[in-house]
Amino acid sequence: MSTPAVPAPPRIPEAVHRRRWVILGVLMLSLLIVVLDNSILNVAIKTISTPEPTGLGATQGEIEWAINAYTLVFAGLLFTAGLLGDRLGRKKVLLGGLVVFGVGSALAAASGSPLQLIAFRALMGLGAAFVMPATLAILMNVFEREEQPKAIGIWAGGVGLAIAIGPITGGVLLDHFWWGSVFLINVPIVLIAFALMMWLVPDSRDPRPGRIDLVGVALSVVGLVLLVYGIIKGGQLADFTDPAVLATAGAGLVVLIGFVLYEKRSDHPSIDISYFKNRIFSAAISAIALVFFALMGVTFFSVFYTQSVRGYSPLQTGLLLLPLAAAQLIFAPRTRLVVDRFGVRAVCTGGLLLVMATLASFAFLEADTPIWILEVIFFLMGAGMAHIMTPTSVVIMQALPREKAGSASALSNTFRQVGGALGIAVLGSVLSTAYRNGVEDKLVLLPAGARHAAGESIEATLGVAARLGPRGEPLVSAANDSFLHAMHVTALCGAGVALIGSVIVFLFLPGRTPKPETAEEKPEPVGAAGR
């Protein structure tokens, strides 16, 4: 007579288990400010680039740096933040990140120049680096494994909610207040999130935390900054063969190669390079990076298309972006059901192909294209993203033991932020180069010293045209035509990147749930998306 199996006791304390969905809501509020900030800034780009007193008169390169100062610091410090959370406690690290983010937001709102804005955006990135990985790591420690895919789906849907709220909130603020209000709005959200976090969220840590890899962190940040600086500089000069551009970008690549070699030999690496020997894990990470590369670049130029070419206000632009966010909010929590039926490979490949098609469709938009077509494109793009982000997040988070949840979350978010930063740098530089090449022949009537600045972006050209009065009217049509051509070129480049991503996930992600390799380290298979 066999003895009946005794069910394993739950690993989550009952008191925590009962309030797990409330805790998820608090974590999503913390996540909200990190995502909200970038989505609000996207709507404010044109206003900040407008000359004083309306804006700061920032050039396109300075705008790119205002965005990338945040993402580069964010990406460069995510691993250190994840390890500190594992060592000191994720709740403590998250609370500290919220404080730094709130202070940085208040200072950014008071910036008096583009350089100050860039510096304070970097401070905000420092705070965000300690918030983002902690939210997902805490999530993995308050939900039982069978509920994790559903919780991650809701968590990813929260990103869609933030993307929806951000542009609309930014538009309302810019219609009634000065540009700095888009940063000041973060402060009350931080205060509410901090209070709820103190009250409801339990702390957790890794019982065997790793050592902090200061050398690796320094190499990764320096390498990324040099590489992105070189790319953005090439776009500003419209010449990627300039010696300064090649030297800076080349130095960045050399430092990043040195970073990888150092990490392989370190006994306490920021990134455990051995994780990437797993083809499924590597493909999931690559998909996240490539989709954000394409998305961030498109978001960057779409704001200029809607506001500068089409003449919509910041609030109207925010409303136009709503279908992109709504689709993510609708589909992200339900993606696990599609994965259960068709497998991770089919769902992610289909999602990337859909993103590719929507990016390519930007190449057919003109100044008089019916606006409902843009709305359909945004909705389909959001649907495609939802079917990429949730399955790949589950693959990555379940690839490592739950004690390493902070490291898994940091990996996911690092590649997401690096992909986004490079997308803005590369596609933004493609946009700048194509625009300058298209408009420079129309600037010959301007003084020689003013031509370069006037050709940096459509906003710079329109600003010169406005100062010229009736004599500047030909410049307006030339600026619009040149921008549309540049947007078409940039969109096709983004579509090519998404196509590469679809090939990678088709070749390497699992078609169906694979078997676990070892019972101890992988109680559920890599790539499982919920049962």
Side-chain angles (χ1 to χ4, degrees), residues 20-41:
R20 65 195 184 281
W21 297 109
V22 178
I23 292 172
L24 177 60
V26 176
L27 295 176
M28 287 173 62
L29 182 61
S30 302
L31 175 70
L32 178 73
I33 61 168
V34 175
V35 181
L36 184 77
D37 179 72
N38 265 341
S39 58
I40 281 184
L41 181 59

Side-chain angles (χ1 to χ4, degrees), residues 16 60 71 95 110 115 122 128 142 166-167 217 235 258 275 278 302 446 475 491 505 510 519 524:
V16 174
Q60 183 161 308
T71 51
L95 291 172
L115 290 179
V142 298
V217 170
Y275 294 157
N278 185 318
S302 66
L446 297 177
L475 276 182
V505 300
E524 188 169 305

Side-chain angles (χ1 to χ4, degrees), residues 89-176:
R90 284 115 188 190
K91 178 178 177 178
K92 297 183 185 70
V93 164
L94 199 158
L95 291 172
L98 285 174
V99 171
V100 173
F101 187 89
V103 171
S105 297
L107 292 172
S111 297
S113 69
L115 290 179
Q116 286 184 10
L117 179 60
I118 291 168
F120 295 137
R121 287 277 297 164
L123 181 62
M124 293 170 67
L126 172 64
F130 288 85
V131 172
M132 178 71 92
T135 61
L136 202 47
I138 292 171
L139 180 154
M140 298 297 285
N141 280 274
V142 298
F143 284 90
E144 297 290 353
R145 193 169 183 87
E146 60 272 11
E147 284 188 321
Q148 286 174 3
K150 181 179 180 182
I152 290 175
I154 295 172
W155 182 88
V159 175
L161 178 64
I163 294 173
I165 293 173
I168 297 171
T169 305
V172 171
L173 290 170
L174 291 172
D175 272 4
H176 295 89

